[in-house]
Amino acid sequence: MSKVLVVDDEKSIRLTLCAFLRLEGYEAFDASDAHEAIEIVNNNAIDVVVTDIVMPGISGVDLINDIRAVSKDIRIIVMTGEPTLETAVQSVQRGASDYLSKPFRRNDFLRIVGNAAQMKTMIDEKQRLEKQNIEYQHHLEEMVRERTDALRRATIGIVNLLSQVVEFRDPYTSGHQRRVGNLAARIAEEMNLEKSTIENLRIIGYIHDIGKVAIPAEILSKPGRLTSPEIELLKSHSECGYEMVKKVDLPSYFADAVHQHHERLDGSGYPNHLKGDEISIESYILMVADVVEAMELHRPYRPSLGQESALSEIQSNRGVLYHPKVVDACLRLFDSGYKIDDKLYEVSVHL
Ligand SMILES: [Fe+2]
């Protein structure tokens, strides 16, 4: 039941009003002045204060200010023996919700207190629901965060698994896809592409040779030169990879980049001799990352050609085989001291 505080310097009035309230089931408190009233308000969750206006010391009107400093929700009813409009207006301006003109009847008193108590209950309920709503939202946000983290971990686990499937069959290129993915992401970053493109490119790099699972292992690990038919078979990995990736519900440039990473700007690449705008920017980035990584690292059929040769290859074929903007970004990156790494980064797929 609501808690009501009666403030009046006349003891008989206080006690009578409190008796009325208790008979109605309220928990009633009484105070003889403003100091005592504030003390009670501070220590009890008072719902309604009924206060006299004219009291020794702090007046009822000033008491309203003091109560409002503690709570804006407590309902305040002022009792006045001199019911001038001015006093009522002043009280309402200070934050009183209602007033009673002395003398008043028991029923009027209980009706006004009842209304105020009901209003306070509604305010409390509204606040409880708002708090509950905020807590629910926080809980929901936390759940979404947890699920997103779990999804991210699962994604990188699956991407890594796919990457390892290829490298298991082609052990000489161990770590190649991770290094290409990481370099491609850094080039995209250097080109100021969107974060989603950067992260997706990293994933594409990690699996770009997935089509090699369809190539016989003897070809993949054969030391020395491949025969022409073997080369043709090896080249089919980008087509095979495309067929595999396009079936997954991902942005289309995932499959396109896998398909096009051996195409070249002038149409001299494979499998479809695409040129210029027919090749996506993601593919151009992956292409340069693939070439630089492949030249820089040791291969079964040749030793490492070194970073210098790798960079001079893309520089001399800038605008011929490779997209100029991608080459420029890649050169800037290495100029600033970038070193290719094969770290497995935690990534999310951006759909
Ligand atoms: Fe490839």
Side-chain angles (χ1 to χ4, degrees), residues 16 66 344:
T16 307
D66 294 345
L344 181 69

Side-chain angles (χ1 to χ4, degrees), residues 24-38:
E24 293 299 312
Y26 292 103
E27 195 176 335
F29 297 75
D30 70 287
S32 58
D33 60 26
H35 284 296
E36 209 181 322
I38 280 297

Side-chain angles (χ1 to χ4, degrees), residues 136-151:
Y136 177 70
Q137 274 184 8
H138 284 166
H139 176 64
L140 211 60
E141 280 166 14
E142 199 171 318
M143 264 174 59
V144 169
R145 228 181 347 260
E146 277 173 15
R147 302 302 294 166
T148 308
D149 283 350
L151 199 61

Side-chain angles (χ1 to χ4, degrees), residues 208-209 212 237 261-262 290:
H208 74 278
D209 276 335
K212 283 190 179 171
H237 79 276
H261 73 278
H262 288 290
D290 192 27

